[in-house]
Amino acid sequence: MSKIKVKIFNDYKLMSKTVANEIIKRISKKPEISISLPTGSTPIETYKILVKESKKLKLSFSKVKFFQLDEYLGLSKENSMSYYYFLNYYLFKHLNFDEKNICVFNGLTRNLEVECLFYEEELKKTNGLDLILLGIGNNGHIAFNEPGTPIKAGTRVINLSLQTINANSRFFKNIHDVPKYALTMGIAEILEAKEIFLFANGENKAQAVSNALYGAVTKNLPASYLKNHPHVTFFLDKKAASYLN
Ligand code: PGA
């Protein structure tokens, strides 16, 4: 039996509000929290609420240690398709993060090994993240850990799967513009976090969510590795939960 807690919400808005409030609670309790937050369509409403509520509460992010979950290879921070750009657009520029507490990937690095080692070292200094929020790919990936990723995989370069390239092409003008490679936090580091949230909305996530919860722990569905962790909560809208019993 999986120890994963599952919370189901009537709609995306309610799911987003709850996730934002759970993040706020943890930052209020531990201002120096180390945290990793994702990009994509799923987090947009959560981040809008997080920013609005944090401002209302005058919540300080100045001590929050932020780690980027993943980044496309070959895109600069200024490129509007980069994940850094997304995080800056929805989070960094609105909240008073201290730049020195933000650990991000350099998508333009020419030395991949050094880039990954630097990131891993920074992560080690935090002694494992306090909280990671994850989306889930419709192929079951978490961060950019694609199907086939071994459980012990660390921070590294990944060859994006065709399914992910197809899914993410909706953000680009042309599918050929979607980068083929990315940098990602590994499964090993994700599982070292003290607490993990995964959120998903929409029917296109229902199969992956159900397989992650009910299926075997397998490298073919990286989200299933979360079953090995004692403190995981899934936040789902009704559609993403539609294949659950
Ligand atoms: P999405 O991406 O939020 O855009 O659906 C999630 C993911 O691929 O991890």
Coordinates of all heavy atoms in Angstrom, one line a residue, residues 171-242:
F171 N 3.9 25.3 -26.2 CA 4.4 26.6 -25.7 C 5.3 27.2 -26.8 O 5.7 28.4 -26.7 CB 5.3 26.4 -24.5 CG 4.6 25.8 -23.3 CD1 4.9 24.6 -22.8 CD2 3.6 26.6 -22.7 CE1 4.2 24.0 -21.7 CE2 2.9 26.1 -21.6 CZ 3.2 24.8 -21.1
F172 N 5.7 26.5 -27.8 CA 6.6 27.0 -28.8 C 5.9 27.2 -30.1 O 4.9 26.6 -30.4 CB 7.8 25.9 -29.1 CG 8.7 25.8 -27.9 CD1 8.3 25.0 -26.8 CD2 9.9 26.4 -27.9 CE1 9.2 24.9 -25.7 CE2 10.8 26.3 -26.8 CZ 10.5 25.5 -25.7
K173 N 6.5 28.1 -31.0 CA 5.9 28.3 -32.3 C 5.9 27.1 -33.1 O 5.0 26.8 -33.9 CB 6.7 29.4 -33.0 CG 6.3 30.8 -32.7 CD 6.8 31.8 -33.8 CE 6.8 33.2 -33.2 NZ 8.2 33.7 -32.9
N174 N 7.0 26.3 -33.0 CA 7.2 25.2 -33.9 C 7.8 24.1 -33.1 O 8.7 24.3 -32.2 CB 8.2 25.6 -35.0 CG 8.3 24.6 -36.1 OD1 8.6 23.4 -35.8 ND2 8.2 25.1 -37.3
I175 N 7.3 22.8 -33.3 CA 7.8 21.7 -32.5 C 9.4 21.6 -32.6 O 10.0 21.1 -31.7 CB 7.1 20.4 -32.9 CG1 7.5 19.3 -31.9 CG2 7.4 19.9 -34.3 CD1 6.6 18.1 -31.9
H176 N 9.9 22.0 -33.8 CA 11.3 21.9 -34.0 C 12.1 22.8 -33.1 O 13.3 22.7 -32.9 CB 11.7 22.1 -35.5 CG 11.0 21.1 -36.4 ND1 11.2 19.8 -36.3 CD2 10.0 21.3 -37.3 CE1 10.5 19.2 -37.2 NE2 9.7 20.1 -37.8
D177 N 11.4 23.8 -32.5 CA 12.1 24.8 -31.6 C 12.2 24.2 -30.2 O 12.9 24.8 -29.4 CB 11.3 26.1 -31.5 CG 11.2 26.8 -32.9 OD1 12.1 26.6 -33.7 OD2 10.3 27.6 -33.1
V178 N 11.5 23.1 -29.9 CA 11.6 22.6 -28.5 C 13.0 22.0 -28.3 O 13.4 21.1 -29.1 CB 10.5 21.5 -28.3 CG1 10.5 21.0 -26.8 CG2 9.1 21.9 -28.7
P179 N 13.7 22.4 -27.3 CA 15.0 21.8 -27.1 C 14.9 20.3 -26.9 O 13.9 19.8 -26.4 CB 15.5 22.5 -25.8 CG 14.8 23.8 -25.8 CD 13.4 23.5 -26.3
K180 N 16.0 19.6 -27.3 CA 16.0 18.1 -27.2 C 16.6 17.6 -25.9 O 16.5 16.5 -25.5 CB 16.7 17.5 -28.4 CG 16.4 18.0 -29.7 CD 15.1 17.4 -30.3 CE 14.7 17.9 -31.6 NZ 14.3 19.3 -31.7
Y181 N 17.3 18.6 -25.2 CA 18.0 18.2 -24.0 C 17.7 19.1 -22.9 O 17.3 20.3 -23.1 CB 19.5 18.2 -24.2 CG 20.0 17.2 -25.2 CD1 20.1 17.6 -26.6 CD2 20.3 15.9 -24.9 CE1 20.5 16.6 -27.5 CE2 20.7 15.0 -25.8 CZ 20.8 15.3 -27.1 OH 21.2 14.4 -28.1
A182 N 17.8 18.6 -21.7 CA 17.6 19.5 -20.5 C 18.5 19.1 -19.3 O 19.0 18.0 -19.4 CB 16.1 19.4 -20.1
L183 N 18.6 20.0 -18.4 CA 19.2 19.7 -17.1 C 18.1 19.4 -16.1 O 17.1 20.1 -16.1 CB 20.1 20.8 -16.7 CG 21.3 21.1 -17.5 CD1 21.8 22.6 -17.4 CD2 22.5 20.2 -17.1
T184 N 18.3 18.4 -15.3 CA 17.3 18.1 -14.3 C 17.9 17.7 -12.9 O 18.9 17.0 -12.9 CB 16.3 17.1 -14.8 OG1 15.2 16.9 -13.8 CG2 16.9 15.7 -15.0
M185 N 17.2 18.1 -11.9 CA 17.4 17.5 -10.6 C 17.1 16.0 -10.7 O 16.2 15.6 -11.4 CB 16.5 18.1 -9.5 CG 16.8 17.7 -8.1 SD 15.5 18.2 -6.9 CE 15.6 20.0 -6.9
G186 N 17.9 15.2 -10.0 CA 17.7 13.7 -10.1 C 16.6 13.2 -9.2 O 16.1 13.9 -8.3
I187 N 16.3 11.9 -9.4 CA 15.4 11.2 -8.6 C 15.9 11.1 -7.1 O 15.3 11.3 -6.2 CB 15.1 9.8 -9.1 CG1 14.4 9.9 -10.5 CG2 14.2 9.0 -8.1 CD1 13.0 10.4 -10.4
A188 N 17.3 10.8 -7.1 CA 17.9 10.6 -5.8 C 17.7 11.9 -4.9 O 17.3 11.8 -3.7 CB 19.4 10.4 -6.0
E189 N 17.9 13.0 -5.5 CA 17.8 14.3 -4.8 C 16.3 14.6 -4.5 O 16.0 15.2 -3.4 CB 18.4 15.4 -5.6 CG 19.9 15.3 -5.6 CD 20.4 15.4 -7.0 OE1 19.7 15.4 -8.0 OE2 21.7 15.3 -7.2
I190 N 15.4 14.3 -5.4 CA 14.0 14.5 -5.1 C 13.6 13.7 -3.9 O 12.9 14.1 -3.0 CB 13.1 14.1 -6.3 CG1 13.4 15.1 -7.5 CG2 11.6 14.0 -6.0 CD1 12.7 14.8 -8.8
L191 N 14.0 12.4 -3.9 CA 13.6 11.5 -2.7 C 14.3 11.9 -1.4 O 13.8 11.4 -0.4 CB 13.9 10.1 -3.1 CG 13.0 9.5 -4.2 CD1 13.4 8.0 -4.5 CD2 11.5 9.6 -4.0
E192 N 15.3 12.7 -1.5 CA 15.9 13.2 -0.2 C 15.2 14.3 0.4 O 15.5 14.7 1.5 CB 17.4 13.6 -0.5 CG 18.4 12.5 -0.3 CD 19.7 12.8 -0.9 OE1 20.1 13.9 -1.0 OE2 20.4 11.8 -1.3
A193 N 14.3 14.9 -0.3 CA 13.5 16.1 0.3 C 12.7 15.6 1.5 O 12.3 14.4 1.5 CB 12.6 16.6 -0.8
K194 N 12.5 16.5 2.4 CA 11.7 16.0 3.6 C 10.3 15.9 3.3 O 9.6 15.0 3.9 CB 12.0 17.1 4.7 CG 13.4 17.1 5.1 CD 13.7 18.1 6.3 CE 15.2 18.2 6.6 NZ 15.9 18.9 5.5
E195 N 9.8 16.7 2.4 CA 8.3 16.6 2.1 C 8.2 16.8 0.6 O 8.9 17.7 0.0 CB 7.6 17.7 2.9 CG 6.1 17.5 2.7 CD 5.3 18.5 3.6 OE1 5.9 19.5 4.0 OE2 4.1 18.2 3.9
I196 N 7.3 16.1 0.0 CA 7.0 16.3 -1.5 C 5.5 16.5 -1.8 O 4.7 15.7 -1.3 CB 7.5 15.0 -2.3 CG1 9.0 14.7 -2.0 CG2 7.3 15.1 -3.8 CD1 9.6 13.5 -2.6
F197 N 5.2 17.5 -2.6 CA 3.9 17.7 -3.1 C 3.9 17.4 -4.6 O 4.9 17.8 -5.3 CB 3.4 19.1 -2.9 CG 3.2 19.6 -1.5 CD1 3.1 21.0 -1.3 CD2 3.0 18.8 -0.5 CE1 2.9 21.5 0.0 CE2 2.8 19.2 0.8 CZ 2.7 20.6 1.0
L198 N 2.9 16.8 -5.1 CA 2.7 16.6 -6.5 C 1.4 17.1 -6.8 O 0.4 16.8 -6.2 CB 2.9 15.2 -7.0 CG 2.8 14.9 -8.5 CD1 3.7 13.8 -8.9 CD2 1.4 14.6 -8.9
F199 N 1.2 18.0 -7.8 CA -0.1 18.4 -8.2 C -0.4 18.2 -9.7 O 0.6 18.2 -10.5 CB -0.4 19.9 -7.8 CG 0.5 21.0 -8.3 CD1 0.1 22.3 -8.1 CD2 1.6 20.7 -9.0 CE1 0.9 23.3 -8.5 CE2 2.4 21.7 -9.5 CZ 2.1 23.0 -9.3
A200 N -1.6 17.9 -10.0 CA -2.0 17.7 -11.4 C -3.4 18.0 -11.6 O -4.3 17.9 -10.8 CB -1.8 16.2 -11.7
N201 N -3.7 18.6 -12.8 CA -5.1 18.8 -13.2 C -5.3 18.4 -14.6 O -4.4 18.3 -15.4 CB -5.4 20.3 -13.0 CG -4.6 21.2 -14.0 OD1 -3.4 21.3 -13.9 ND2 -5.3 21.7 -15.0
G202 N -6.5 18.1 -14.9 CA -6.9 17.7 -16.3 C -6.8 16.2 -16.5 O -6.1 15.5 -15.9
E203 N -7.7 15.8 -17.5 CA -7.8 14.4 -17.7 C -6.6 13.8 -18.4 O -6.3 12.6 -18.2 CB -9.0 14.1 -18.6 CG -9.7 12.8 -18.3 CD -10.9 12.5 -19.2 OE1 -11.6 13.5 -19.6 OE2 -11.1 11.3 -19.5
N204 N -5.8 14.6 -19.1 CA -4.6 14.0 -19.7 C -3.6 13.6 -18.7 O -2.6 12.9 -19.0 CB -4.0 15.1 -20.7 CG -3.5 16.3 -20.0 OD1 -4.1 16.8 -19.0 ND2 -2.4 16.9 -20.5
K205 N -3.8 13.9 -17.4 CA -2.8 13.4 -16.4 C -3.4 12.2 -15.6 O -2.7 11.6 -14.8 CB -2.5 14.6 -15.4 CG -1.9 15.8 -16.0 CD -0.5 15.5 -16.4 CE 0.1 16.7 -17.2 NZ 0.4 17.8 -16.3
A206 N -4.7 11.9 -15.9 CA -5.4 10.9 -15.0 C -4.7 9.5 -15.1 O -4.5 8.9 -14.0 CB -6.8 10.7 -15.5
Q207 N -4.2 9.1 -16.3 CA -3.6 7.8 -16.4 C -2.2 7.8 -15.6 O -2.0 6.8 -14.9 CB -3.3 7.5 -17.9 CG -2.9 6.1 -18.1 CD -3.9 5.0 -17.8 OE1 -5.0 5.0 -18.5 NE2 -3.7 4.2 -16.8
A208 N -1.4 8.8 -15.8 CA -0.1 8.8 -15.1 C -0.3 8.8 -13.6 O 0.4 8.1 -12.9 CB 0.7 10.0 -15.6
V209 N -1.3 9.6 -13.2 CA -1.5 9.7 -11.7 C -2.0 8.4 -11.2 O -1.5 7.9 -10.1 CB -2.6 10.8 -11.4 CG1 -3.2 10.7 -10.0 CG2 -2.1 12.2 -11.7
S210 N -2.9 7.7 -11.9 CA -3.4 6.4 -11.4 C -2.3 5.4 -11.4 O -2.1 4.6 -10.5 CB -4.6 6.1 -12.3 OG -4.7 4.7 -12.4
N211 N -1.5 5.4 -12.4 CA -0.4 4.4 -12.5 C 0.6 4.7 -11.4 O 1.2 3.7 -10.8 CB 0.4 4.5 -13.8 CG -0.5 3.9 -15.0 OD1 -1.5 3.3 -14.7 ND2 -0.1 4.2 -16.2
A212 N 0.9 5.9 -11.1 CA 1.8 6.3 -10.0 C 1.3 5.8 -8.7 O 2.1 5.3 -7.8 CB 2.1 7.8 -10.0
L213 N 0.0 5.9 -8.5 CA -0.5 5.5 -7.2 C -0.8 4.0 -7.0 O -0.6 3.4 -6.0 CB -1.8 6.3 -6.9 CG -1.7 7.8 -6.6 CD1 -3.0 8.5 -6.6 CD2 -1.0 7.9 -5.2
Y214 N -1.3 3.4 -8.1 CA -1.7 2.0 -8.0 C -0.8 1.0 -8.6 O -0.8 -0.2 -8.3 CB -3.1 1.8 -8.7 CG -4.2 2.6 -8.1 CD1 -5.2 3.1 -8.9 CD2 -4.3 2.9 -6.7 CE1 -6.3 3.9 -8.4 CE2 -5.3 3.6 -6.2 CZ -6.3 4.1 -7.0 OH -7.3 4.8 -6.5
G215 N 0.1 1.5 -9.5 CA 1.0 0.6 -10.3 C 2.2 0.2 -9.5 O 2.4 0.7 -8.3
A216 N 3.1 -0.6 -10.1 CA 4.3 -1.0 -9.4 C 5.3 0.2 -9.4 O 5.2 1.1 -10.3 CB 4.9 -2.1 -10.2
V217 N 6.3 0.1 -8.5 CA 7.4 1.1 -8.6 C 8.3 0.7 -9.7 O 8.8 -0.4 -9.7 CB 8.1 1.1 -7.2 CG1 9.3 2.1 -7.3 CG2 7.2 1.6 -6.1
T218 N 8.4 1.5 -10.7 CA 9.1 1.2 -11.9 C 9.8 2.4 -12.6 O 9.3 3.5 -12.5 CB 8.2 0.5 -12.9 OG1 8.9 0.5 -14.2 CG2 6.9 1.2 -13.1
K219 N 11.0 2.1 -13.2 CA 11.7 3.2 -13.9 C 10.9 3.6 -15.1 O 11.1 4.7 -15.6 CB 13.1 2.7 -14.2 CG 13.2 1.7 -15.3 CD 14.7 1.5 -15.5 CE 15.2 0.6 -16.6 NZ 14.6 -0.5 -17.2
N220 N 9.9 2.8 -15.5 CA 9.1 3.2 -16.7 C 8.2 4.4 -16.3 O 7.6 5.0 -17.2 CB 8.4 2.1 -17.2 CG 9.3 1.0 -17.7 OD1 10.4 1.3 -18.1 ND2 8.9 -0.3 -17.5
L221 N 8.0 4.6 -15.0 CA 7.1 5.7 -14.6 C 7.7 6.3 -13.4 O 7.5 6.0 -12.2 CB 5.7 5.1 -14.2 CG 4.6 6.2 -14.1 CD1 3.9 6.4 -15.4 CD2 3.7 5.9 -12.9
P222 N 8.6 7.3 -13.6 CA 9.4 7.9 -12.5 C 8.5 8.4 -11.3 O 9.0 8.3 -10.2 CB 10.2 9.0 -13.2 CG 10.4 8.5 -14.6 CD 9.1 7.8 -14.9
A223 N 7.3 8.8 -11.6 CA 6.5 9.3 -10.5 C 6.2 8.2 -9.5 O 5.9 8.4 -8.3 CB 5.2 9.9 -11.0
S224 N 6.3 6.9 -9.9 CA 6.0 5.8 -9.0 C 7.1 5.7 -7.9 O 6.8 5.1 -6.9 CB 5.9 4.5 -9.8 OG 7.1 4.1 -10.3
Y225 N 8.2 6.3 -8.2 CA 9.3 6.2 -7.1 C 8.8 7.0 -5.9 O 9.4 6.8 -4.8 CB 10.6 6.9 -7.6 CG 11.3 6.1 -8.7 CD1 11.9 6.8 -9.8 CD2 11.6 4.8 -8.6 CE1 12.6 6.1 -10.8 CE2 12.3 4.1 -9.5 CZ 12.8 4.8 -10.6 OH 13.6 4.1 -11.6
L226 N 7.9 7.9 -6.0 CA 7.4 8.7 -4.9 C 6.8 7.8 -3.8 O 6.7 8.1 -2.6 CB 6.4 9.7 -5.3 CG 7.0 10.8 -6.3 CD1 5.9 11.7 -6.7 CD2 8.2 11.5 -5.7
K227 N 6.4 6.6 -4.2 CA 5.9 5.6 -3.2 C 6.9 5.2 -2.2 O 6.6 4.7 -1.1 CB 5.3 4.4 -3.9 CG 3.9 4.7 -4.4 CD 3.2 3.4 -4.7 CE 3.5 2.9 -6.1 NZ 2.3 2.3 -6.7
N228 N 8.2 5.4 -2.5 CA 9.3 5.0 -1.6 C 9.5 6.1 -0.5 O 10.4 6.0 0.3 CB 10.6 4.8 -2.3 CG 10.6 3.6 -3.2 OD1 9.7 2.7 -3.0 ND2 11.5 3.4 -4.0
H229 N 8.8 7.2 -0.6 CA 9.0 8.3 0.3 C 7.9 8.4 1.3 O 6.7 8.2 1.0 CB 9.1 9.6 -0.6 CG 9.6 10.8 0.2 ND1 8.8 11.5 1.1 CD2 10.8 11.5 0.2 CE1 9.5 12.5 1.6 NE2 10.7 12.5 1.0
P230 N 8.3 8.8 2.6 CA 7.2 8.7 3.6 C 6.3 9.9 3.7 O 5.2 9.9 4.3 CB 8.0 8.7 4.9 CG 9.4 9.2 4.6 CD 9.6 9.0 3.1
H231 N 6.7 11.1 3.0 CA 5.8 12.3 3.2 C 5.5 12.9 1.8 O 6.0 13.9 1.5 CB 6.5 13.3 4.1 CG 6.8 12.8 5.4 ND1 5.8 12.5 6.4 CD2 8.0 12.5 6.0 CE1 6.4 12.1 7.5 NE2 7.7 12.0 7.3
V232 N 4.6 12.2 1.1 CA 4.2 12.7 -0.2 C 2.7 13.0 -0.2 O 1.9 12.2 0.3 CB 4.5 11.7 -1.3 CG1 4.1 12.2 -2.7 CG2 6.0 11.3 -1.3
T233 N 2.3 14.1 -0.7 CA 0.9 14.4 -0.9 C 0.6 14.8 -2.4 O 1.3 15.6 -3.0 CB 0.4 15.6 0.0 OG1 0.9 15.4 1.3 CG2 -1.1 15.8 -0.1
F234 N -0.4 14.1 -2.9 CA -0.9 14.5 -4.3 C -2.1 15.4 -4.2 O -3.0 15.1 -3.4 CB -1.3 13.2 -5.0 CG -0.2 12.4 -5.7 CD1 1.1 12.5 -5.3 CD2 -0.5 11.5 -6.7 CE1 2.1 11.7 -5.8 CE2 0.5 10.7 -7.3 CZ 1.8 10.8 -6.9
F235 N -2.0 16.5 -4.9 CA -3.2 17.4 -4.9 C -3.7 17.4 -6.4 O -3.0 17.7 -7.3 CB -2.7 18.9 -4.7 CG -2.1 19.1 -3.3 CD1 -0.8 18.8 -3.0 CD2 -2.9 19.6 -2.3 CE1 -0.3 18.9 -1.7 CE2 -2.4 19.8 -1.0 CZ -1.0 19.5 -0.7
L236 N -5.0 16.9 -6.5 CA -5.5 16.6 -7.8 C -6.8 17.3 -8.0 O -7.6 17.4 -7.1 CB -5.7 15.1 -8.0 CG -4.5 14.2 -7.6 CD1 -5.0 12.8 -7.6 CD2 -3.4 14.4 -8.6
D237 N -7.1 17.8 -9.2 CA -8.4 18.2 -9.5 C -9.2 16.9 -9.9 O -8.6 15.9 -10.1 CB -8.5 19.3 -10.6 CG -8.4 18.8 -12.0 OD1 -7.9 17.7 -12.2 OD2 -8.8 19.5 -12.9
K238 N -10.5 17.1 -10.0 CA -11.4 15.9 -10.2 C -11.0 15.1 -11.5 O -11.1 13.9 -11.5 CB -12.8 16.4 -10.3 CG -13.7 16.2 -9.1 CD -15.1 16.2 -9.5 CE -16.0 17.0 -8.9 NZ -17.2 17.5 -9.4
K239 N -10.6 15.9 -12.5 CA -10.3 15.3 -13.8 C -9.0 14.4 -13.7 O -9.0 13.3 -14.2 CB -10.2 16.3 -14.9 CG -11.6 16.9 -15.2 CD -11.4 17.9 -16.3 CE -12.8 18.6 -16.6 NZ -12.6 19.9 -17.3
A240 N -8.0 15.0 -13.0 CA -6.8 14.2 -12.9 C -7.0 13.0 -12.0 O -6.2 12.0 -12.1 CB -5.7 15.1 -12.3
A241 N -8.0 13.1 -11.1 CA -8.3 12.0 -10.2 C -9.3 11.0 -10.8 O -9.7 10.1 -10.1 CB -8.8 12.5 -8.9
S242 N -9.7 11.2 -12.0 CA -10.9 10.5 -12.6 C -10.7 9.0 -12.7 O -11.6 8.2 -12.9 CB -11.4 11.1 -13.8 OG -10.4 11.2 -14.8

